[in-house]
Amino acid sequence: MNKIQYILITLILLLSGCAKEEAVPVVVDFEFEVFKDDYSIPVQVVFFNKTTGGEAYEWSFEGGVPSRSVNRNPGAIQYDTKGIYKIELSATNQDGSNDTKVIEIQIDDPVIIDFEVTNLTDNFSPAQYTLQNKSTGADSFLWTFEGGTPATSSDKDPGEVTFAVPGDHKITLEISNGRETYEVEKNITVAPFLVSDFDVEVAFEDDDFQVPARVQFQNKSISATSYQWSFEGASTLSSSEENPEVIFTQEGTHTINLTVSNGKDTKTISKEIEFFKNTNLREIKDIKLGINTAHTTNTIGSFYSIADRKVYTPEELTPEIEEHIDIVFFGLSSTFNRNRFVSPHKVSETTFEVLQNPKSTIFINSQELCGCAASLSVSQYDMMQDDTLLKNMTIEETAGGLQDFDQTMQPRVVLFKTTEGKKGAIKIKDFVIDGQNSYILIDIKIQKQ
């Protein structure tokens, strides 16, 4: 062997020795990511292999599905049961190098947040509530009670909470399992403070407050559950109804008391109502009745109902209303040269259309031409405080009494008697000239019974 051959053989041996000494080691490492960072079952975990020097891999997933894998990156592993589980990764290469890494992962029960609010008695102040925690998967709790006593609690079930101030109050629950935090809120409403109040509504036919007067009481109390009324001067002295109707039989100023309660508080209010002697006389003032053009273009009607206390135009008349009409005024024109009051059953003698089921009213349009005993002057009309004068009158229909009248006598009194036998007087106060909208202005005094 020459010198050159020796050198070559020596170099080959040296290089072969260096290659064995530089075998690649295996260093196992991996990372993972929890889907949506949600550790509550079901949990999906994706693993990322960070191993160096490895060529073959063995994954073991305790409690996972699947439970093993030989892929470098095993994809998503699912956990369906709460617990602490080991994840193990082993790797080797052809040089015989190997390594293993083991970690643990904690899988939690699902976190569900909910609670139930129960009102102990009622929502009148002070209102008591109990809270039942229906959450799962959490181990810490924080309650906040807006306007409540106590204001906060860290107990799982905080027991009884009292709200004294009326209005809406927010209840907030925050729960956590150490890694995840959830919050939910609900509202409760405390009823307003107790208030005692009422309105008085006198029956339409008794709105002059003459006894006997029928009165409907409208309860306007707030947050009340029971009512106790007391009445002075009435046929009924007390009532526990919410909205009683009472007949007052005694004149004078009477006190009405209303005491209300809701089981936690009591309030009383008093009001006074004045009632007057029964004169059996009703006075209705400032009624406008239009002239003959009322059934064409006049906006002021010619038909009057004493029961309704309302003037109607022909266009407003219905069969039901026509049965209520007591007085019909027939004024020929705005000159007021020919005027008269007509019985509803005799409108066929005018230009008005015939009424259905009309009433029969007797009129004495012209007392000066009547030729009868019934007579009432303007001064007597004005001084009349009860029905004494009317009661003693005999009002009968005569040819003279049916005569037209003009505007020369102002004011003028016209006597009448209704179908029901009620006697009355019309005082014509003014003849108002306004073209086709001309009208007379009248007051009426009539017996109530």
Side-chain angles (χ1 to χ4, degrees):
M1 180 183 299
N2 58 33
K3 188 175 182 179
I4 294 174
Q5 290 176 324
Y6 175 77
I7 293 171
L8 290 173
I9 292 172
T10 301
L11 288 171
I12 291 171
L13 291 174
L14 288 173
L15 290 173
S16 298
C18 290
K20 290 182 180 179
E21 290 176 2
E22 294 179 4
V24 177
V26 176
V27 179
V28 172
D29 191 18
F30 62 89
E31 296 177 354
F32 67 89
E33 182 179 314
V34 177
F35 182 66
K36 293 186 178 179
D37 203 29
D38 183 2
Y39 286 81
S40 301
I41 58 172
V43 179
Q44 287 190 331
V45 184
V46 178
F47 292 89
F48 304 97
N49 196 335
K50 301 291 184 178
T51 300
T52 59
E55 295 175 346
Y57 305 95
E58 177 71 28
W59 293 86
S60 175
F61 305 108
E62 182 184 18
V65 178
S67 61
R68 65 181 296 276
S69 175
V70 294
N71 296 327
R72 175 176 174 83
N73 291 294
I77 308 300
Q78 180 160 316
Y79 293 85
D80 296 313
T81 306
K82 174 187 176 181
I84 299 175
Y85 301 108
K86 292 180 179 179
I87 293 98
E88 181 176 334
L89 173 58
S90 297
T92 61
N93 63 18
Q94 63 181 358
D95 293 333
S97 180
N98 63 80
D99 192 19
T100 299
K101 179 179 180 178
V102 179
I103 67 168
E104 289 183 339
I105 186 171
Q106 179 178 329
I107 304 300
D108 301 324
D109 274 337
V111 179
I112 299 174
I113 184 169
D114 190 22
F115 66 89
E116 186 175 294
V117 184
T118 302
N119 181 237
L120 288 181
T121 306
D122 52 50
N123 69 334
F124 302 125
S125 175
Q128 290 81 31
Y129 295 83
T130 58
L131 289 303
Q132 181 183 2
N133 194 337
K134 303 182 78 174
S135 304
T136 59
D139 52 22
S140 68
F141 310 91
L142 178 60
W143 297 85
T144 303
F145 309 108
E146 181 183 53
T149 302
T152 61
S153 175
S154 58
D155 294 337
K156 180 179 180 180
D157 293 295
E160 185 177 312
V161 182
T162 300
F163 296 85
V165 179
D168 294 332
H169 300 276
K170 187 186 302 179
I171 299 174
T172 304
L173 171 60
E174 181 183 289
I175 66 173
S176 177
N177 62 3
R179 289 193 293 194
E180 299 171 83
T181 300
Y182 297 86
E183 182 178 288
V184 68
E185 45 181 61
K186 295 184 180 182
N187 289 310
I188 60 98
T189 300
V190 179
F193 289 125
L194 181 65
V195 175
S196 179
D197 193 16
F198 64 89
D199 277 345
V200 177
E201 183 178 321
V202 181
F204 182 69
E205 65 273 15
D206 297 326
D207 61 359
D208 55 7
F209 288 86
Q210 292 185 12
V211 294
R214 184 163 51 92
V215 178
Q216 177 73 57
F217 291 93
Q218 298 293 336
N219 177 37
K220 295 184 68 179
S221 301
I222 299 172
S223 296
T225 57
S226 66
Y227 314 89
Q228 188 60 50
W229 301 80
S230 66
F231 312 102
E232 291 181 345
S235 58
T236 301
L237 298 180
S238 64
S239 175
S240 59
E241 295 181 14
E242 184 175 353
N243 299 293
E245 182 180 273
V246 179
I247 297 176
F248 286 83
T249 57
Q250 300 177 24
E251 60 184 280
T253 301
H254 302 307
T255 301
I256 293 89
N257 297 310
L258 171 59
T259 299
V260 297
S261 176
N262 59 18
K264 296 178 180 179
D265 198 4
T266 301
K267 297 288 184 180
T268 300
I269 189 173
S270 299
K271 295 185 180 182
E272 292 184 340
I273 308 177
E274 185 176 5
F275 294 92
F276 303 94
K277 178 183 177 181
N278 184 8
T279 64
N280 198 35
L281 187 71
R282 181 178 302 286
E283 183 174 10
I284 312 167
K285 291 189 172 185
D286 298 325
I287 303 166
K288 296 179 181 180
L289 295 173
I291 61 173
N292 186 35
T293 54
H295 69 290
T296 54
T297 57
N298 197 343
T299 59
I300 303 173
S302 303
F303 300 85
Y304 187 74
S305 166
I306 293 172
D308 299 343
R309 291 182 227 168
K310 185 175 179 181
V311 176
Y312 294 96
T313 65
E315 292 75 21
E316 293 174 318
L317 294 177
T318 65
E320 293 77 15
I321 293 175
E322 290 177 3
E323 294 178 1
H324 295 173
I325 299 301
D326 301 283
I327 296 171
V328 180
F329 173 65
F330 183 73
L332 189 60
S333 68
S334 61
T335 63
F336 294 110
N337 290 326
R338 294 181 58 189
N339 315 281
R340 70 178 183 269
F341 289 96
V342 182
S343 173
H345 81 292
K346 289 187 176 181
V347 294
S348 59
E349 299 175 2
T350 70
T351 57
F352 294 123
E353 294 183 4
V354 175
L355 303 180
Q356 297 187 41
N357 298 316
K359 286 187 172 186
S360 175
T361 305
I362 297 172
F363 289 99
I364 302 179
N365 285 295
S366 301
Q367 293 186 69
E368 62 273 25
L369 301 176
C370 175
C372 53
S375 176
L376 189 69
S377 67
V378 173
S379 61
Q380 286 176 315
Y381 178 97
D382 292 339
M383 295 177 64
M384 190 163 46
Q385 299 298 315
D386 57 36
D387 75 330
T388 302
L389 286 176
L390 293 174
K391 182 168 57 177
N392 296 325
M393 285 183 182
T394 300
I395 299 178
E396 296 177 334
E397 184 177 287
T398 67
L402 292 176
Q403 294 300 306
D404 296 340
F405 57 87
D406 58 25
Q407 81 283 17
T408 56
M409 182 186 295
Q410 294 187 44
R412 168 183 287 274
V413 174
V414 173
L415 298 175
F416 68 94
K417 184 171 70 172
T418 68
T419 296
E420 298 80 17
K422 296 178 183 180
K423 300 172 186 178
I426 300 169
K427 176 184 175 181
I428 304 174
K429 300 190 293 185
D430 197 6
F431 294 82
V432 179
I433 299 175
D434 186 20
Q436 66 183 17
N437 293 317
S438 297
Y439 63 90
I440 59 172
L441 184 65
I442 68 171
D443 293 343
I444 296 176
K445 289 184 178 180
I446 183 173
Q447 291 178 308
K448 296 168 69 175
Q449 298 292 335

